[in-house]
Amino acid sequence: MSKRELLFLQCSVIFRKGSKNLNNHILSNRLAQVASFVPEQARLADIGSDHAYLPVYLVATGKISYAIAGEVAPGPLKAAIAQIKKYGYTGKIIPRLADGLAAIQPEDRIDTITIAGMGGLLTSDILTNGQADGFLSTRERLILQPNNHEQELRHWLTRNHYKIYDEQLVKDQGKFYEIIVADYQKSDSYTMKELYFGPILMQKKSSIFQEKWQKELQTKQKILNNLQKAYERPEAKIAEINKEVAWIKEVLA
């Protein structure tokens, strides 16, 4: 078992077991997997921090000692501030009210960015705006967990010269979540099929991967059947779904 896999198991249960500071907090399987990808002693910016659960856990376990918890609205920011104060991490986790990567300041020396629990299109917009405004350089590791539109997010990464170094598919409360870890590297490229499934996920072909795409196959076959019965057949859409069905069958074979 790798060090990262061991950390994932530890952070999945540590809050259930309890500690003097964290006995009431449970890190979800989804966020536990995100946490396992954060490098040791990273300087983290957690964008859309959701009560600062992730940075609180990472500081509590000693994996990091500095983080920004960015929120775009006052209500979530207030919740993050309360969580940080509750566990005594004022000064180690800095809450900031800002739109996306504008939460990052040069003196933070951020080297890792996590964006978890948002749509893939919104995540892409946050990264695009961060580039345009100078908050995203080429130095940060990106750890992204989109709730949907994963393929579009991978397209953004490859268009902007990021290499996908790792991926993980996790099932949490009956839903599937993909986690994408990327670093800037100009020389890499991917096929359309790799961007669709995830280049690393295709290699791993975990049991969760198989489960997810078996369900996707059934869904697409039902959609295809309905489209083929339509009075005015949308031929372009039918061709697109036929291609995806063929890809899924090939990957599952």
Side-chain angles (χ1 to χ4, degrees):
M1 180 179 293
S2 69
K3 185 176 181 181
R4 190 187 61 75
E5 289 170 333
L6 179 60
L7 176 60
F8 169 57
L9 291 177
Q10 290 172 338
C11 64
S12 296
V13 301
I14 189 169
F15 292 147
R16 292 179 176 89
K17 290 183 176 180
S19 70
K20 64 180 181 179
N21 291 323
L22 299 166
N23 56 340
N24 293 319
H25 180 68
I26 298 174
L27 205 62
S28 68
N29 289 337
R30 174 180 63 86
L31 283 181
Q33 187 68 77
V34 172
S36 73
F37 283 112
V38 175
E40 294 282 344
Q41 295 310 307
R43 293 181 69 85
L44 176 70
D46 186 36
I47 306 303
S49 197
D50 185 22
H51 292 75
Y53 288 146
L54 180 62
V56 163
Y57 167 76
L58 290 167
V59 171
T61 55
K63 194 174 187 184
I64 68 172
S65 57
Y66 185 84
I68 300 300
E71 291 288 2
V72 71
L77 182 72
K78 184 177 180 181
I81 292 171
Q83 188 83 343
I84 293 164
K85 287 182 177 179
K86 176 180 178 180
Y87 296 116
Y89 294 136
T90 301
K92 291 187 175 181
I93 304 174
I94 313 301
R96 290 215 181 111
L97 184 66
D99 188 0
L101 300 186
I104 299 172
Q105 298 178 3
E107 58 268 27
D108 296 323
R109 293 179 287 115
I110 295 300
D111 55 36
T112 304
I113 295 171
T114 51
I115 307 177
M118 300 185 194
L121 298 179
L122 176 56
T123 302
S124 299
D125 287 344
I126 289 171
L127 295 172
T128 297
N129 293 336
Q131 276 185 333
D133 296 334
F135 299 112
L136 178 65
S137 70
T138 58
R139 298 184 300 274
E140 304 91 351
R141 164 158 290 194
L142 304 180
I143 305 172
L144 312 173
Q145 182 270 293
N147 285 351
N148 51 43
H149 294 288
E150 299 89 352
Q151 295 88 357
E152 288 86 347
L153 182 54
R154 289 192 191 93
H155 278 281
W156 187 97
L157 291 170
T158 193
R159 284 197 309 271
N160 289 275
H161 311 295
Y162 280 84
K163 177 180 175 61
I164 298 172
Y165 276 91
D166 208 345
E167 294 178 296
Q168 193 66 39
L169 186 59
V170 61
K171 191 174 182 181
D172 194 343
Q173 296 184 357
K175 294 183 179 180
F176 298 100
Y177 298 98
E178 295 182 11
I179 298 163
I180 305 167
V181 183
D183 289 340
Y184 186 81
Q185 180 177 308
K186 280 190 176 182
S187 61
D188 217 34
S189 62
Y190 299 99
T191 67
M192 294 298 289
K193 190 185 296 185
E194 286 174 325
L195 295 174
Y196 186 77
F197 293 101
I200 310 299
L201 294 177
M202 282 179 68
Q203 294 174 19
K204 292 179 178 179
K205 284 192 179 180
S206 67
S207 59
I208 297 177
F209 179 89
Q210 299 276 347
E211 182 184 353
K212 173 184 175 175
W213 287 105
Q214 285 286 359
K215 290 185 176 180
E216 287 287 339
L217 179 59
Q218 294 172 9
T219 299
K220 289 187 180 297
Q221 287 173 327
K222 288 179 181 177
I223 293 171
L224 189 60
N225 184 53
N226 290 334
L227 290 176
Q228 289 171 337
K229 293 177 181 178
Y231 179 72
E232 294 185 1
R233 286 164 53 101
E235 298 298 340
K237 186 65 175 178
I238 288 172
E240 178 186 352
I241 296 178
N242 267 323
K243 177 189 69 176
E244 293 172 350
V245 165
W247 279 357
I248 296 169
K249 288 180 176 179
E250 183 179 340
V251 166
L252 292 176

